Amino acid sequence: MNYKELVLNNLITDNTKKLSEDKLFLKTKQNEKYSTDIENYITPKELLNNLNLKTKFIGITGTNGKTTTAFVLGYLLKEAGYSVGIQGTEGFYLNGEKIEAKTLTTPPIFTTIKRAVKYEPDFYIMEVSSHAIVQQRIEGIEFSAKILTSFSQDHLDFHKTMEEYKRVKESFFQDESVKIINGKMRMENGEWRIINVGGYDFKINSKNLYLIDKSIINEISMAGEFNKMNFSLALKTAQILTNSQFSILNSQLKRFKGVPGRMEIISKKPLVIIDFAHTPDGMEKVLSAVEGKKIAVFGAGGDRDKDKRRLMGQVADRFCEYIILTEDNPRCEKAGDICKDIAKGIKNTSFEIITDRKKALAKALNLAKENNYTLMILGKGDENYIEYCGKKTRYSDRSTFFELLNSQI
């Protein structure tokens, strides 16, 4: 049986409603409760084994830094002569070109398998969310390498506690694949190594474990410690997978153009930077990396972890001269209420609430010009929508900024 042809000709399905006599059912952890009576099925692991793909899978997880690390690693592997697929919050990219639009950060396993069959890259880089680990959207994949970028508070609406969130991330690193991690190490009982990541101890399978040390980080000519770390993780992984010299890989980064919506400079006068930072830790890393006086525009997602909102306010309070709180995917909450939650953490910095994001950017742009501030537009990065209750409205920070800038000329 030619399983590649079955996949390419849509003769395998993971949807019970689309199952027919001529189709083979892919039984996954997500759909198994709906398919108890189906006898003719195959599991993701069995399907991947039968496909016998040349592709090597790389999984990247962490609270922040997944996308940047994925794009840097993809660039390095492509420059080394390999074909590379990247799947994550920005969509699906093949050799640097966007092929498919954004879905979930980590889509259902059959989406991943179909992309791997259709394009069959040498390397398939995946952002792996904690939700995907819990829901087993990566079942059956044998990863050649796994990367842990960072760990800090996020998604507690889903995981409930930091310990549970940590346990989920930790579970991803218990196999014998190559593991590249930003952390410090100590030996325990001669078998397990405890990795200090973001102040938390992680129990990681010590086999094939590589840690990023200062000697690697110091060689990276990049602003911001968090950027240096993400680049270091990518460089070390590329070095291991390709047996290339670190110095050669590092020299290639001079031509790397960056990641959309990640520390993206969209104007130099005034200096305006867009970033996806939407957690307290992410905001601290971005704001601390930029020198000079700053004005920040940001909000927080509705129907999500409410505990982090006050903490986000505290971070902005420490690093900014002025703050404008606004909407950021309020979903079924009122944007004003979300902003008030954030404001509880602001004690020493002048701020205001302008829930309309376009009006908030207009006010911030004027203040940045008048006071020679750097304008930091945080939270949405390269997203092209604002999500309200059950509806997405087209919106882009980048497009809105240039619209405002041109209207003032």
Side-chain angles (χ1 to χ4, degrees):
M1 187 178 292
N2 189 326
Y3 285 90
K4 288 184 181 178
E5 290 298 319
L6 291 180
V7 172
L8 292 172
N9 291 310
N10 296 315
L11 294 176
I12 299 179
T13 182
D14 61 348
N15 188 339
T16 55
K17 295 180 180 179
K18 294 183 178 180
L19 187 60
S20 58
E21 291 184 2
D22 64 334
K23 289 187 177 182
L24 179 62
F25 186 68
L26 181 68
K27 191 171 187 176
T28 71
K29 297 297 182 182
Q30 286 192 290
N31 67 25
E32 62 182 359
K33 64 182 179 181
Y34 306 109
S35 56
T36 54
D37 298 329
I38 297 175
E39 296 182 358
N40 186 27
Y41 67 85
I42 191 169
T43 66
K45 186 175 180 63
E46 291 168 341
L47 179 55
L48 284 164
N49 287 340
N50 283 311
L51 286 169
N52 196 28
L53 299 172
K54 67 173 183 178
T55 301
K56 293 181 179 180
F57 289 89
I58 303 166
I60 304 176
T61 196
T63 309
N64 299 301
K66 295 187 294 295
T67 301
T68 297
T69 305
F71 272 78
V72 175
L73 177 57
Y75 173 81
L76 291 170
L77 292 173
K78 179 177 176 291
E79 288 295 296
Y82 298 96
S83 61
V84 184
I86 299 176
Q87 174 177 282
T89 53
E90 293 300 308
F92 181 78
Y93 286 71
L94 185 67
N95 297 324
E97 293 187 15
K98 191 168 188 175
I99 303 296
E100 297 184 30
K102 300 178 184 180
T103 53
L104 296 171
T105 297
T106 313
I109 183 61
F110 196 31
T111 298
T112 300
I113 292 174
K114 286 188 287 187
R115 287 171 171 172
V117 171
K118 183 176 181 179
Y119 304 110
E120 201 163 356
D122 297 313
F123 292 99
Y124 194 120
I125 303 169
M126 299 174 58
E127 293 183 47
V128 179
S129 68
S130 56
H131 294 67
I133 297 171
V134 172
Q135 295 165 359
Q136 300 189 59
R137 285 185 248 143
I138 52 173
E139 65 168 307
I141 297 177
E142 290 188 11
F143 289 92
S144 296
K146 294 179 176 180
I147 301 171
L148 177 60
T149 60
S150 63
F151 184 76
S152 60
Q153 182 173 330
D154 201 11
H155 307 304
L156 295 192
D157 55 299
F158 181 79
H159 298 293
K160 306 305 180 187
T161 68
M162 287 295 287
E163 280 302 314
E164 174 60 16
Y165 182 32
K166 179 180 77 72
R167 186 197 66 77
V168 171
K169 294 288 190 185
E170 202 173 56
S171 69
F172 186 58
F173 295 93
Q174 301 311 321
D175 61 2
E176 296 187 353
S177 65
V178 168
K179 295 170 281 289
I180 304 94
I181 293 174
N182 164 21
K184 298 178 181 178
M185 174 179 65
R186 68 176 183 268
M187 186 69 72
E188 185 178 90
N189 299 327
E191 183 177 0
W192 292 95
R193 295 176 180 182
I194 308 300
I195 311 301
N196 181 281
V197 183
Y200 288 83
D201 285 345
F202 278 66
K203 288 188 178 181
I204 305 292
N205 186 336
S206 61
K207 190 168 184 179
N208 297 319
L209 175 63
Y210 297 84
L211 298 180
I212 302 300
D213 58 37
K214 287 186 177 180
S215 65
I216 294 176
I217 297 172
N218 291 338
E219 291 185 46
I220 308 296
S221 57
M222 184 66 55
E225 286 301 312
F226 76 104
N227 258 333
K228 288 185 177 183
M229 180 55 67
N230 294 332
F231 277 57
S232 298
L233 288 164
L235 278 162
K236 186 64 177 179
T237 305
Q239 182 186 21
I240 294 168
L241 294 175
T242 66
N243 293 315
S244 300
Q245 291 185 14
F246 185 90
S247 58
I248 294 175
L249 292 168
N250 193 13
S251 67
Q252 293 172 344
L253 286 177
K254 294 176 183 177
R255 299 189 298 274
F256 180 65
K257 296 181 179 179
V259 184
R262 269 70 178 178
M263 286 299 283
E264 181 181 2
I265 298 174
I266 60 171
S267 170
K268 292 186 177 180
K269 199 170 183 179
L271 181 58
V272 181
I273 298 174
I274 288 178
D275 194 85
F276 191 62
H278 60 284
T279 67
D281 180 63
M283 287 180 59
E284 179 169 356
K285 287 175 177 174
V286 167
L287 292 172
S288 64
V290 178
E291 297 180 354
K293 295 182 177 180
K294 296 173 283 287
I295 178 172
V297 178
F298 69 97
D303 303 328
R304 298 293 187 269
D305 181 5
K306 294 184 178 181
D307 291 339
K308 72 177 183 180
R309 296 174 185 173
R310 176 181 55 82
L311 301 177
M312 292 167 71
Q314 288 178 352
V315 172
D317 192 30
R318 285 167 51 203
F319 290 100
C320 297
E321 273 61 47
Y322 199 82
I323 301 166
I324 298 181
L325 303 177
T326 189
E327 60 188 344
D328 179 347
N329 297 334
R331 300 184 178 90
C332 293
E333 287 191 74
K334 292 182 179 179
D337 292 340
I338 297 172
C339 291
K340 289 176 183 177
D341 287 342
I342 299 171
K344 292 175 183 177
I346 303 173
K347 304 298 182 184
N348 303 308
T349 306
S350 297
F351 76 93
E352 60 184 299
I353 295 174
I354 305 176
T355 54
D356 184 298
R357 197 168 177 100
K358 182 176 180 179
K359 291 180 180 178
L361 289 193
K363 178 66 178 290
L365 177 57
N366 287 331
L367 288 173
K369 286 180 174 180
E370 292 170 4
N371 298 281
N372 197 28
Y373 290 156
T374 295
L375 173 54
M376 308 291 296
I377 307 173
L378 306 179
K380 298 195 66 63
D382 201 41
E383 286 183 350
N384 60 3
Y385 63 86
I386 293 180
E387 185 177 353
Y388 299 102
C389 198
K391 180 183 178 182
K392 289 184 177 180
T393 299
R394 286 192 65 80
Y395 172 86
S396 160
D397 278 336
R398 187 190 295 106
S399 298
T400 300
F401 169 78
F402 285 116
E403 179 185 335
L404 292 167
L405 190 65
N406 291 332
S407 69
Q408 295 178 6
I409 295 176

